[in-house]
Amino acid sequence: MRNSFDFTPFRRSAVGFDRLFDMLESSAASSAAENYPPFDLIREGEHDYRIELAVAGFKRDEIEITSHQNVLIIRGRKGDDNGADYIHRGIATRSFERRFALADHVQVTAADLADGMLALTLKREIPEAMKPRRIEIGGTAAAPRHDTIESKAEQREGADA
């Protein structure tokens, strides 16, 4: 079974969609390898979202959250083991990096770590200049005069009288 799709024919006929095709190709390539830590994406309102990651065993100072150019990056690096002699190690403590592509105007507003769950609150805030606005039609200005053949004839008759 093929895991990737060739977007080359579409690239030739679609102008300005290079970023979209790059995102599709990179997400398809990295989705198989990028499955730790597991996460939930929750819509809390029309413009409000929450991402919850299961990061059991990580402390606040071992997790780094960065938002840059429509990409949210969450990295986890485990500290030392304090010299513990493990007989069996079943709790995953490997380092991770999880990336999320953010839509335009989506900002991370809060992050909280409790009970092994990292919760990130996101809000989409569209700038006032980008929001649609209603334009009222004014009726105070005089209507423009359209000269037609009939109105020109009427003007000539009035001048002759």
Side-chain angles (χ1 to χ4, degrees), residues 108-121:
V108 179
T109 58
D112 188 34
L113 179 64
D115 300 326
M117 296 295 289
L118 176 65
L120 298 152
T121 305

Side-chain angles (χ1 to χ4, degrees), residues 50-67:
R50 189 174 73 242
I51 298 174
E52 292 183 346
L53 280 92
V55 292
F58 284 86
K59 299 175 188 158
R60 292 179 192 276
D61 60 345
E62 296 172 332
I63 298 173
E64 176 186 331
I65 304 167
T66 308
S67 179

